[in-house]
Coordinates of all heavy atoms in Angstrom, one line a residue:
M1 N 107.7 115.4 -202.7 CA 107.1 114.6 -203.9 C 107.7 113.2 -203.9 O 108.9 113.1 -203.8 CB 107.4 115.4 -205.2 CG 106.4 115.1 -206.2 SD 106.7 116.1 -207.7 CE 106.1 117.7 -207.3
P2 N 106.9 112.2 -203.9 CA 107.4 110.8 -203.9 C 108.3 110.5 -205.2 O 108.0 111.0 -206.2 CB 106.1 109.9 -203.9 CG 105.0 110.8 -204.3 CD 105.4 112.2 -204.0
T3 N 109.3 109.7 -205.0 CA 110.0 109.3 -206.2 C 109.8 107.8 -206.4 O 109.5 107.0 -205.5 CB 111.6 109.5 -206.0 OG1 112.0 108.8 -204.8 CG2 111.9 110.9 -205.8
L4 N 109.8 107.5 -207.8 CA 109.5 106.1 -208.1 C 110.7 105.7 -209.0 O 111.2 106.4 -209.8 CB 108.2 106.0 -209.0 CG 107.0 106.8 -208.7 CD1 105.9 106.6 -209.7 CD2 106.5 106.3 -207.3
T5 N 111.2 104.5 -208.7 CA 112.3 103.9 -209.5 C 111.8 102.8 -210.3 O 111.1 101.8 -209.8 CB 113.4 103.5 -208.6 OG1 114.0 104.6 -207.9 CG2 114.6 102.9 -209.4
F6 N 112.0 103.0 -211.6 CA 111.7 101.9 -212.6 C 112.9 101.1 -212.9 O 113.9 101.7 -213.2 CB 111.0 102.5 -213.9 CG 109.7 103.1 -213.6 CD1 109.6 104.5 -213.3 CD2 108.5 102.4 -213.8 CE1 108.4 105.1 -213.0 CE2 107.3 103.0 -213.6 CZ 107.3 104.4 -213.2
V7 N 112.8 99.8 -212.9 CA 114.0 99.0 -213.3 C 113.6 98.4 -214.6 O 112.7 97.6 -214.8 CB 114.3 97.9 -212.2 CG1 115.5 97.1 -212.6 CG2 114.4 98.6 -210.8
L8 N 114.5 98.8 -215.7 CA 114.1 98.3 -217.0 C 114.8 96.8 -217.2 O 115.5 96.4 -216.4 CB 114.8 99.2 -218.0 CG 114.3 100.6 -217.9 CD1 115.0 101.5 -219.0 CD2 112.9 100.7 -218.1
P9 N 114.2 96.1 -218.2 CA 114.7 94.7 -218.3 C 116.2 94.5 -218.4 O 116.7 93.5 -218.0 CB 114.0 94.3 -219.7 CG 112.8 95.1 -219.8 CD 113.2 96.4 -219.2
D10 N 116.9 95.5 -218.9 CA 118.4 95.4 -219.0 C 119.1 95.8 -217.7 O 120.3 95.9 -217.6 CB 118.9 96.2 -220.2 CG 118.8 97.8 -219.9 OD1 118.3 98.1 -218.8 OD2 119.3 98.5 -220.8
G11 N 118.3 96.1 -216.7 CA 118.9 96.4 -215.3 C 119.0 97.9 -215.1 O 119.3 98.4 -214.0
T12 N 118.8 98.7 -216.2 CA 118.9 100.2 -216.0 C 117.8 100.7 -215.1 O 116.7 100.2 -215.1 CB 118.7 100.9 -217.4 OG1 119.6 100.3 -218.3 CG2 118.8 102.4 -217.3
R13 N 118.2 101.6 -214.2 CA 117.2 102.2 -213.2 C 116.9 103.6 -213.6 O 117.9 104.3 -213.9 CB 117.8 102.1 -211.8 CG 118.0 100.6 -211.3 CD 118.8 100.6 -210.0 NE 118.0 100.9 -208.9 CZ 117.2 99.9 -208.3 NH1 117.3 98.7 -208.6 NH2 116.4 100.3 -207.2
R14 N 115.7 103.9 -213.6 CA 115.3 105.4 -213.8 C 114.4 105.8 -212.7 O 113.4 105.2 -212.4 CB 114.5 105.4 -215.1 CG 115.2 105.2 -216.4 CD 115.6 106.5 -217.2 NE 114.7 107.5 -217.3 CZ 113.9 107.8 -218.4 NH1 113.8 106.9 -219.4 NH2 113.1 108.8 -218.4
T15 N 114.8 106.8 -212.0 CA 114.1 107.4 -210.9 C 113.4 108.6 -211.3 O 114.0 109.6 -211.9 CB 115.0 107.7 -209.7 OG1 115.6 106.4 -209.3 CG2 114.3 108.2 -208.5
L16 N 112.1 108.6 -211.2 CA 111.3 109.7 -211.6 C 110.5 110.3 -210.5 O 110.1 109.6 -209.5 CB 110.2 109.2 -212.7 CG 110.8 108.5 -213.9 CD1 109.7 108.0 -214.8 CD2 111.8 109.4 -214.7
E17 N 110.2 111.6 -210.5 CA 109.4 112.2 -209.5 C 107.9 111.9 -209.8 O 107.4 112.1 -210.9 CB 109.6 113.7 -209.5 CG 110.9 114.1 -208.7 CD 110.9 115.6 -208.4 OE1 110.0 116.3 -208.8 OE2 111.8 115.9 -207.7
G18 N 107.2 111.5 -208.8 CA 105.7 111.3 -209.0 C 105.0 112.3 -208.3 O 105.5 113.2 -207.7
K19 N 103.7 112.3 -208.5 CA 102.8 113.3 -207.8 C 101.5 112.6 -207.4 O 101.0 111.8 -208.2 CB 102.4 114.4 -208.9 CG 101.7 115.5 -208.3 CD 101.4 116.6 -209.3 CE 100.5 117.7 -208.7 NZ 100.0 118.5 -209.7
A20 N 101.3 112.7 -206.1 CA 100.1 112.0 -205.6 C 98.9 112.3 -206.4 O 98.6 113.4 -206.9 CB 99.9 112.5 -204.1
G21 N 98.1 111.2 -206.7 CA 96.9 111.3 -207.5 C 97.1 110.9 -209.0 O 96.2 110.5 -209.6
L22 N 98.4 111.1 -209.4 CA 98.7 110.5 -210.8 C 98.8 109.1 -210.8 O 99.1 108.5 -209.7 CB 99.9 111.2 -211.3 CG 99.9 112.6 -211.7 CD1 101.3 113.1 -212.3 CD2 98.9 113.0 -212.8
S23 N 98.7 108.4 -211.9 CA 99.0 107.0 -211.9 C 100.4 106.8 -212.3 O 101.0 107.6 -212.8 CB 98.0 106.3 -212.9 OG 98.5 106.6 -214.3
V24 N 100.8 105.6 -211.9 CA 102.3 105.2 -212.2 C 102.4 105.3 -213.8 O 103.5 105.7 -214.2 CB 102.5 103.9 -211.7 CG1 103.9 103.3 -212.1 CG2 102.5 103.8 -210.1
M25 N 101.5 104.9 -214.4 CA 101.6 104.9 -216.0 C 101.7 106.4 -216.5 O 102.5 106.6 -217.4 CB 100.3 104.2 -216.6 CG 100.3 104.3 -218.1 SD 99.6 105.8 -218.8 CE 97.9 105.6 -218.7
E26 N 100.9 107.2 -215.9 CA 101.0 108.7 -216.3 C 102.4 109.2 -216.1 O 103.0 110.0 -217.0 CB 100.0 109.5 -215.6 CG 98.6 109.2 -216.1 CD 97.6 109.9 -215.3 OE1 97.6 109.8 -214.0 OE2 96.7 110.5 -215.8
V27 N 103.0 108.9 -215.0 CA 104.4 109.4 -214.8 C 105.4 108.8 -215.8 O 106.2 109.4 -216.3 CB 104.8 109.0 -213.3 CG1 106.4 109.4 -213.1 CG2 104.0 109.9 -212.3
A28 N 105.2 107.5 -216.0 CA 106.1 106.8 -216.9 C 106.0 107.3 -218.4 O 107.0 107.6 -219.1 CB 105.8 105.3 -217.0
M29 N 104.8 107.6 -218.8 CA 104.5 108.1 -220.2 C 105.0 109.5 -220.3 O 105.6 109.9 -221.3 CB 103.1 108.0 -220.5 CG 102.5 106.6 -220.5 SD 103.3 105.5 -221.7 CE 102.6 106.1 -223.2
A30 N 104.8 110.3 -219.3 CA 105.3 111.7 -219.4 C 106.8 111.8 -219.5 O 107.3 112.8 -220.0 CB 104.9 112.5 -218.1
E31 N 107.5 110.8 -219.1 CA 109.0 110.8 -219.1 C 109.5 109.8 -220.2 O 110.7 109.4 -220.3 CB 109.6 110.3 -217.8 CG 109.3 111.3 -216.7 CD 110.0 112.6 -216.8 OE1 111.1 112.7 -217.4 OE2 109.5 113.6 -216.3
D32 N 108.6 109.4 -221.1 CA 109.0 108.5 -222.2 C 109.8 107.3 -221.7 O 110.8 106.9 -222.3 CB 109.8 109.2 -223.3 CG 109.0 110.2 -224.1 OD1 107.8 109.9 -224.3 OD2 109.5 111.2 -224.5
L33 N 109.3 106.7 -220.6 CA 110.0 105.5 -220.1 C 109.8 104.3 -221.1 O 108.7 104.0 -221.4 CB 109.4 105.1 -218.7 CG 110.2 104.0 -218.0 CD1 111.4 104.6 -217.3 CD2 109.3 103.3 -217.1
P34 N 110.9 103.7 -221.6 CA 110.7 102.6 -222.5 C 110.1 101.4 -221.8 O 110.3 101.2 -220.6 CB 112.2 102.3 -222.9 CG 113.1 103.1 -222.1 CD 112.2 104.1 -221.3
G35 N 109.3 100.7 -222.5 CA 108.7 99.4 -222.0 C 107.3 99.6 -221.4 O 106.6 98.6 -221.1
I36 N 106.8 100.8 -221.4 CA 105.4 101.1 -221.0 C 104.7 101.6 -222.2 O 105.0 102.7 -222.6 CB 105.3 102.1 -219.8 CG1 106.1 101.6 -218.6 CG2 103.8 102.3 -219.4 CD1 105.6 100.4 -217.8
I37 N 103.7 100.9 -222.7 CA 103.1 101.3 -223.9 C 101.7 102.0 -223.7 O 101.4 103.0 -224.3 CB 102.9 100.1 -224.9 CG1 104.2 99.5 -225.2 CG2 102.1 100.5 -226.2 CD1 104.2 98.2 -226.0
A38 N 101.0 101.5 -222.9 CA 99.7 102.0 -222.4 C 98.8 102.3 -223.6 O 98.3 103.5 -223.8 CB 99.9 103.3 -221.6
E39 N 98.5 101.4 -224.4 CA 97.7 101.5 -225.7 C 96.4 102.0 -225.5 O 95.9 102.8 -226.3 CB 97.6 100.1 -226.4 CG 98.5 99.9 -227.6 CD 98.4 98.5 -228.1 OE1 97.6 97.7 -227.7 OE2 99.2 98.3 -229.0
C40 N 95.7 101.7 -224.4 CA 94.4 102.1 -224.2 C 94.2 103.4 -223.4 O 93.1 103.9 -223.2 CB 93.5 101.1 -223.5 SG 93.9 101.0 -221.7
G41 N 95.3 104.0 -223.1 CA 95.3 105.4 -222.5 C 94.9 105.3 -221.0 O 94.5 106.4 -220.5
G42 N 94.9 104.2 -220.4 CA 94.7 104.2 -219.0 C 93.3 103.6 -218.6 O 92.8 103.9 -217.4
N43 N 92.7 102.9 -219.6 CA 91.3 102.4 -219.3 C 91.2 100.9 -218.9 O 90.1 100.4 -219.0 CB 90.4 102.7 -220.5 CG 90.3 104.2 -220.7 OD1 89.8 104.9 -219.9 ND2 90.6 104.7 -221.9
A44 N 92.3 100.4 -218.5 CA 92.3 99.0 -218.1 C 91.8 98.0 -219.1 O 91.0 97.1 -218.9 CB 91.6 98.8 -216.8
M45 N 92.2 98.4 -220.4 CA 91.7 97.5 -221.5 C 92.7 96.9 -222.4 O 92.4 96.3 -223.4 CB 90.7 98.4 -222.4 CG 89.4 98.8 -221.7 SD 88.4 99.9 -222.6 CE 88.0 98.9 -224.0
C46 N 94.0 97.2 -222.0 CA 95.0 96.6 -223.0 C 96.2 95.8 -222.3 O 96.8 95.0 -222.9 CB 95.7 97.8 -223.7 SG 96.7 98.8 -222.7
A47 N 96.4 96.0 -221.0 CA 97.5 95.4 -220.3 C 98.9 95.6 -220.8 O 99.8 94.9 -220.5 CB 97.2 93.8 -220.2
T48 N 99.1 96.7 -221.6 CA 100.4 97.0 -222.1 C 101.1 98.1 -221.1 O 102.1 98.7 -221.5 CB 100.4 97.6 -223.5 OG1 99.6 98.8 -223.6 CG2 99.8 96.5 -224.5
C49 N 100.6 98.2 -219.9 CA 101.2 99.1 -219.0 C 101.6 98.2 -217.8 O 101.8 98.7 -216.6 CB 100.2 100.2 -218.5 SG 98.8 99.5 -217.7
H50 N 101.8 96.9 -218.0 CA 102.1 96.0 -216.9 C 103.4 96.3 -216.3 O 104.4 96.6 -216.9 CB 102.1 94.6 -217.6 CG 102.5 93.4 -216.7 ND1 103.0 92.3 -217.2 CD2 102.3 93.2 -215.4 CE1 103.3 91.4 -216.2 NE2 102.8 92.0 -215.1
V51 N 103.5 96.3 -214.9 CA 104.7 96.4 -214.2 C 104.7 95.4 -213.0 O 103.6 94.9 -212.6 CB 104.9 97.8 -213.6 CG1 105.2 98.8 -214.6 CG2 103.7 98.2 -212.7
Y52 N 105.9 95.1 -212.4 CA 106.0 94.3 -211.3 C 106.3 95.3 -210.1 O 107.4 95.9 -210.1 CB 107.1 93.3 -211.4 CG 106.8 92.3 -212.5 CD1 107.6 92.3 -213.7 CD2 105.8 91.4 -212.5 CE1 107.4 91.4 -214.7 CE2 105.6 90.5 -213.5 CZ 106.4 90.5 -214.6 OH 106.2 89.7 -215.7
A53 N 105.4 95.4 -209.1 CA 105.6 96.3 -208.0 C 106.6 95.7 -206.9 O 106.5 94.6 -206.6 CB 104.3 96.6 -207.4
G54 N 107.4 96.6 -206.5 CA 108.4 96.2 -205.4 C 107.8 96.0 -204.1 O 108.4 95.2 -203.3
A55 N 106.8 96.7 -203.8 CA 106.2 96.6 -202.4 C 104.7 96.6 -202.6 O 104.0 97.6 -202.5 CB 106.7 97.8 -201.6
T56 N 104.1 95.4 -202.8 CA 102.7 95.3 -203.1 C 101.8 95.8 -202.0 O 100.7 96.2 -202.1 CB 102.3 93.9 -203.6 OG1 102.8 93.0 -202.6 CG2 102.9 93.6 -204.9
D57 N 102.4 95.6 -200.7 CA 101.6 95.9 -199.5 C 101.3 97.4 -199.4 O 100.5 97.8 -198.6 CB 102.3 95.4 -198.3 CG 103.8 95.9 -198.1 OD1 104.4 96.2 -199.2 OD2 104.1 96.1 -196.9
R58 N 102.0 98.2 -200.2 CA 101.9 99.7 -200.1 C 100.9 100.1 -201.2 O 100.6 101.4 -201.2 CB 103.2 100.3 -200.2 CG 104.1 100.2 -199.0 CD 105.5 100.6 -199.3 NE 105.7 102.0 -199.4 CZ 106.8 102.6 -199.7 NH1 107.9 101.8 -199.9 NH2 106.9 103.8 -199.8
L59 N 100.4 99.2 -201.9 CA 99.5 99.6 -203.0 C 98.0 99.4 -202.7 O 97.7 98.5 -201.9 CB 99.9 98.8 -204.3 CG 101.3 98.9 -204.8 CD1 101.5 98.1 -206.1 CD2 101.7 100.3 -205.0
P60 N 97.2 100.0 -203.4 CA 95.7 99.8 -203.2 C 95.4 98.4 -203.8 O 96.2 97.9 -204.6 CB 95.0 100.9 -204.1 CG 96.1 101.4 -205.0 CD 97.4 101.2 -204.4
P61 N 94.3 97.8 -203.3 CA 94.0 96.4 -203.8 C 93.7 96.4 -205.3 O 93.3 97.5 -205.8 CB 92.8 96.0 -202.9 CG 92.4 97.2 -202.2 CD 93.4 98.3 -202.3
V62 N 93.9 95.2 -205.8 CA 93.6 95.1 -207.3 C 92.1 95.0 -207.4 O 91.4 94.2 -206.7 CB 94.2 93.7 -207.7 CG1 93.8 93.5 -209.2 CG2 95.7 93.8 -207.6
S63 N 91.6 95.8 -208.3 CA 90.1 95.7 -208.6 C 89.8 94.6 -209.4 O 90.6 93.9 -210.0 CB 89.7 97.0 -209.3 OG 90.1 97.0 -210.6
E64 N 88.5 94.3 -209.6 CA 88.0 93.1 -210.3 C 88.4 93.3 -211.8 O 88.9 92.4 -212.5 CB 86.5 93.0 -210.2 CG 85.9 91.7 -210.6 CD 84.5 91.6 -210.3 OE1 84.0 91.9 -209.1 OE2 83.7 91.2 -211.2
V65 N 88.2 94.5 -212.3 CA 88.6 94.8 -213.7 C 90.1 94.6 -214.0 O 90.5 94.0 -215.0 CB 88.2 96.3 -214.1 CG1 88.7 96.7 -215.4 CG2 86.7 96.4 -214.1
E66 N 90.9 95.1 -213.0 CA 92.4 95.0 -213.2 C 92.7 93.5 -213.1 O 93.6 93.1 -213.9 CB 93.0 95.8 -212.1 CG 94.6 95.8 -212.2 CD 95.4 96.5 -211.2 OE1 94.7 97.2 -210.3 OE2 96.6 96.5 -211.1
D67 N 92.2 92.9 -212.2 CA 92.5 91.5 -212.0 C 92.2 90.7 -213.3 O 93.0 89.9 -213.7 CB 91.6 90.9 -210.8 CG 92.0 89.5 -210.5 OD1 93.2 89.1 -210.4 OD2 91.0 88.6 -210.4
E68 N 91.1 90.9 -213.9 CA 90.7 90.3 -215.2 C 91.7 90.6 -216.3 O 92.2 89.7 -217.0 CB 89.4 90.8 -215.6 CG 88.6 89.8 -216.5 CD 87.1 90.3 -216.6 OE1 86.4 90.3 -215.6 OE2 86.8 90.7 -217.8
M69 N 92.1 91.9 -216.4 CA 93.0 92.3 -217.4 C 94.4 91.8 -217.2 O 95.2 91.5 -218.1 CB 93.0 93.8 -217.4 CG 93.3 94.4 -218.8 SD 92.1 93.9 -220.0 CE 93.2 93.6 -221.3
L70 N 94.8 91.6 -215.9 CA 96.2 91.1 -215.6 C 96.3 89.7 -216.2 O 97.5 89.2 -216.3 CB 96.4 91.1 -214.1 CG 96.8 92.5 -213.5 CD1 96.8 92.5 -212.0 CD2 98.2 92.9 -214.0
D71 N 95.2 89.0 -216.5 CA 95.3 87.6 -217.0 C 95.7 87.7 -218.5 O 96.0 86.7 -219.2 CB 94.0 86.9 -216.9 CG 93.8 86.4 -215.5 OD1 94.8 86.2 -214.7 OD2 92.6 86.2 -215.1
S72 N 95.8 88.9 -219.1 CA 96.1 89.1 -220.5 C 97.5 89.7 -220.8 O 97.8 90.1 -221.9 CB 95.1 90.0 -221.2 OG 93.8 89.5 -220.9
T73 N 98.3 89.8 -219.7 CA 99.7 90.4 -219.9 C 100.6 89.5 -220.8 O 100.4 88.3 -220.8 CB 100.4 90.6 -218.6 OG1 100.4 89.4 -217.9 CG2 99.6 91.6 -217.7
A74 N 101.4 90.2 -221.6 CA 102.3 89.4 -222.5 C 103.4 88.7 -221.7 O 103.7 87.5 -222.0 CB 102.9 90.4 -223.4
A75 N 103.9 89.4 -220.7 CA 104.9 88.7 -219.8 C 104.1 88.0 -218.6 O 103.0 88.4 -218.4 CB 105.8 89.8 -219.2
P76 N 104.8 87.0 -218.0 CA 104.0 86.2 -217.0 C 103.5 87.1 -215.9 O 104.2 88.1 -215.5 CB 105.1 85.3 -216.6 CG 106.1 85.2 -217.6 CD 106.1 86.5 -218.3
R77 N 102.3 86.8 -215.5 CA 101.7 87.4 -214.3 C 102.3 86.8 -213.0 O 102.5 85.6 -213.0 CB 100.2 87.2 -214.3 CG 99.5 87.9 -213.1 CD 98.0 87.7 -213.1 NE 97.4 88.3 -212.0 CZ 96.1 88.5 -211.8 NH1 95.3 88.0 -212.7 NH2 95.6 89.2 -210.8
T78 N 102.6 87.7 -212.1 CA 103.1 87.1 -210.8 C 102.3 87.9 -209.7 O 101.5 88.8 -210.0 CB 104.6 87.5 -210.6 OG1 104.8 88.9 -210.3 CG2 105.5 87.1 -211.8
P79 N 102.5 87.5 -208.4 CA 101.8 88.3 -207.4 C 102.2 89.7 -207.3 O 101.4 90.5 -206.8 CB 102.3 87.5 -206.1 CG 102.6 86.1 -206.6 CD 103.2 86.3 -207.9
A80 N 103.3 90.1 -207.9 CA 103.6 91.5 -207.9 C 103.1 92.3 -209.1 O 103.3 93.4 -209.3 CB 105.2 91.7 -207.9
S81 N 102.4 91.6 -210.0 CA 101.9 92.2 -211.2 C 100.9 93.2 -210.9 O 99.9 93.0 -210.2 CB 101.4 91.2 -212.2 OG 102.4 90.4 -212.8
R82 N 100.9 94.4 -211.6 CA 99.9 95.4 -211.6 C 99.8 96.1 -212.9 O 100.8 96.1 -213.7 CB 100.2 96.5 -210.5 CG 100.3 96.1 -209.1 CD 99.0 95.4 -208.6 NE 97.8 96.3 -208.6 CZ 97.3 97.0 -207.5 NH1 97.9 96.8 -206.4 NH2 96.3 97.8 -207.7
L83 N 98.6 96.7 -213.2 CA 98.5 97.6 -214.4 C 98.9 99.0 -213.8 O 98.1 99.5 -213.0 CB 97.1 97.5 -214.9 CG 96.6 96.2 -215.4 CD1 95.2 96.4 -216.0 CD2 97.5 95.7 -216.5
S84 N 99.9 99.5 -214.4 CA 100.4 100.8 -213.9 C 99.4 102.0 -214.0 O 99.4 102.9 -213.2 CB 101.8 101.2 -214.5 OG 101.7 101.3 -215.8
C85 N 98.4 101.7 -214.9 CA 97.4 102.8 -215.1 C 96.4 102.8 -214.0 O 95.6 103.7 -213.8 CB 96.7 102.7 -216.4 SG 95.7 101.3 -216.7
Q86 N 96.3 101.7 -213.3 CA 95.3 101.5 -212.3 C 95.8 101.7 -210.8 O 95.2 101.6 -209.8 CB 94.7 100.1 -212.3 CG 94.0 99.9 -213.7 CD 92.9 100.8 -214.0 OE1 91.9 100.9 -213.2 NE2 93.0 101.6 -215.0
V87 N 97.2 102.1 -210.7 CA 97.8 102.4 -209.5 C 98.0 103.8 -209.3 O 98.9 104.4 -210.0 CB 99.1 101.6 -209.4 CG1 99.7 101.8 -208.0 CG2 98.7 100.1 -209.5
Q88 N 97.3 104.5 -208.3 CA 97.6 105.9 -208.1 C 98.7 106.1 -207.1 O 98.8 105.4 -206.1 CB 96.3 106.5 -207.5 CG 95.1 106.2 -208.3 CD 95.1 106.6 -209.7 OE1 95.5 107.7 -210.0 NE2 94.7 105.7 -210.6
I89 N 99.5 107.1 -207.4 CA 100.7 107.4 -206.5 C 100.2 108.0 -205.2 O 99.2 108.9 -205.2 CB 101.6 108.4 -207.2 CG1 102.2 107.7 -208.5 CG2 102.7 108.8 -206.3 CD1 102.8 108.6 -209.4
A90 N 100.8 107.6 -204.1 CA 100.5 108.1 -202.8 C 101.7 108.9 -202.3 O 102.8 108.7 -202.7 CB 100.1 107.0 -201.8
D91 N 101.4 109.9 -201.4 CA 102.4 110.7 -200.9 C 103.5 110.0 -200.1 O 104.6 110.4 -200.1 CB 101.8 111.8 -199.8 CG 101.3 113.0 -200.6 OD1 102.0 113.3 -201.6 OD2 100.4 113.6 -200.1
N92 N 103.2 108.8 -199.4 CA 104.1 108.1 -198.6 C 104.9 107.0 -199.4 O 105.4 106.1 -198.9 CB 103.5 107.5 -197.5 CG 102.4 106.4 -197.9 OD1 102.2 106.3 -199.1 ND2 101.9 105.7 -196.9
W93 N 105.0 107.2 -200.7 CA 105.6 106.2 -201.6 C 107.1 106.4 -201.9 O 107.6 105.7 -202.7 CB 104.9 106.3 -202.9 CG 103.8 105.3 -203.0 CD1 103.0 104.8 -202.1 CD2 103.3 104.9 -204.3 NE1 102.1 104.0 -202.7 CE2 102.2 104.0 -204.0 CE3 103.7 105.1 -205.6 CZ2 101.5 103.4 -205.0 CZ3 102.9 104.5 -206.6 CH2 101.9 103.6 -206.3
D94 N 107.7 107.2 -201.3 CA 109.1 107.5 -201.6 C 109.9 106.2 -201.6 O 109.8 105.4 -200.7 CB 109.8 108.5 -200.6 CG 110.5 109.6 -201.3 OD1 110.4 109.6 -202.6 OD2 111.3 110.3 -200.6
G95 N 110.6 106.0 -202.7 CA 111.5 104.8 -202.9 C 110.8 103.6 -203.5 O 111.4 102.6 -203.6
M96 N 109.6 103.7 -203.9 CA 108.9 102.6 -204.5 C 109.6 102.2 -205.8 O 110.0 103.0 -206.5 CB 107.4 103.0 -204.8 CG 106.5 102.9 -203.7 SD 106.1 101.2 -203.2 CE 105.0 100.7 -204.5
T97 N 109.7 100.9 -206.0 CA 110.2 100.4 -207.3 C 109.2 99.6 -208.1 O 108.3 99.0 -207.6 CB 111.5 99.5 -207.0 OG1 111.0 98.4 -206.3 CG2 112.5 100.2 -206.2
F98 N 109.4 99.7 -209.4 CA 108.6 99.0 -210.3 C 109.5 98.4 -211.4 O 110.2 99.1 -212.1 CB 107.5 99.9 -211.0 CG 106.5 100.4 -210.0 CD1 106.7 101.7 -209.4 CD2 105.4 99.7 -209.7 CE1 105.8 102.1 -208.4 CE2 104.5 100.2 -208.8 CZ 104.7 101.4 -208.2
D99 N 109.4 97.1 -211.6 CA 110.2 96.4 -212.6 C 109.3 96.4 -213.9 O 108.2 96.1 -213.9 CB 110.5 95.0 -212.3 CG 111.6 94.9 -211.2 OD1 112.0 96.0 -210.7 OD2 112.1 93.8 -211.0
V100 N 109.9 96.8 -215.0 CA 109.2 96.8 -216.3 C 109.5 95.4 -217.0 O 110.6 95.0 -217.0 CB 109.8 98.0 -217.1 CG1 109.2 98.0 -218.6 CG2 109.6 99.3 -216.5
P101 N 108.4 94.8 -217.4 CA 108.6 93.5 -218.0 C 109.4 93.5 -219.3 O 109.5 94.5 -219.9 CB 107.2 93.0 -218.2 CG 106.3 94.1 -217.9 CD 107.1 95.2 -217.3
E102 N 109.9 92.3 -219.7 CA 110.6 92.2 -221.0 C 109.8 92.6 -222.2 O 110.3 93.2 -223.2 CB 111.0 90.7 -221.2 CG 112.0 90.3 -220.3 CD 113.5 90.5 -220.8 OE1 113.6 90.9 -221.9 OE2 114.4 90.3 -220.0
T103 N 108.5 92.3 -222.1 CA 107.6 92.6 -223.3 C 106.2 93.0 -222.8 O 105.8 92.6 -221.7 CB 107.5 91.4 -224.3 OG1 106.7 91.7 -225.3 CG2 106.9 90.2 -223.6
Q104 N 105.6 93.8 -223.6 CA 104.2 94.2 -223.4 C 103.2 93.7 -224.4 O 102.0 93.8 -224.3 CB 104.1 95.7 -223.3 CG 104.8 96.4 -222.1 CD 104.2 96.2 -220.7 OE1 103.2 95.5 -220.6 NE2 104.7 96.9 -219.8
L105 N 103.8 93.2 -225.6 CA 102.9 92.7 -226.7 C 103.2 91.3 -227.0 O 104.2 90.7 -226.8 CB 103.3 93.6 -227.9 CG 103.0 95.2 -227.7 CD1 103.6 95.8 -228.9 CD2 101.6 95.4 -227.6
Ligands
FES1 FE1 95.8 100.0 -221.0 FE2 96.8 100.3 -218.5 S1 97.0 101.6 -220.2 S2 95.6 98.7 -219.3

């Protein structure tokens, strides 16, 4: 099972077990990870599940809908920005890291 490490704004690291096919947001919410709100429940309509991916080359491409929503994030958008609800976990992801932004609102 792939493991995902989330780095919180205070530097705390939380490593969680992922499961291929789930979204990064679903894993974070199941473990009550602070800093991921996911107001819209994973429908790419709120941008409160924003994360900064550690290895963007291992992720699926950003869809048009995700790209549009990433312009609405509370924390600055960077090339590493993704909506965690739109990123599905893959089996070969062991060691992936995601930085949680300072704010989602
Ligand atoms: Fe709303 Fe991801 S949960 S955009």
Side-chain angles (χ1 to χ4, degrees):
M1 211 175 277
T3 58
L4 317 179
T5 298
F6 292 88
V7 184
L8 303 180
D10 68 358
T12 304
R13 298 172 76 87
R14 292 258 319 262
T15 299
L16 306 178
E17 281 195 355
K19 185 176 175 197
L22 291 180
S23 71
V24 172
M25 177 276 278
E26 288 172 309
V27 171
M29 295 304 284
E31 297 290 334
D32 288 328
L33 188 84
I36 304 289
I37 298 172
E39 250 174 10
C40 77
N43 292 307
M45 294 174 64
C46 71
T48 62
C49 64
H50 180 206
V51 291
Y52 300 110
T56 52
D57 57 327
R58 292 165 70 183
L59 303 185
V62 177
S63 71
E64 201 173 309
V65 171
E66 183 182 358
D67 184 48
E68 203 171 294
M69 211 58 225
L70 281 167
D71 286 337
S72 305
T73 56
R77 179 180 183 174
T78 76
S81 288
R82 295 300 300 259
L83 297 181
S84 60
C85 70
Q86 299 301 300
V87 180
Q88 311 302 313
I89 296 167
D91 271 328
N92 64 351
W93 264 25
D94 227 13
M96 277 288 284
T97 63
F98 294 93
D99 285 12
V100 177
E102 292 272 351
T103 183
Q104 297 283 9
L105 299 172

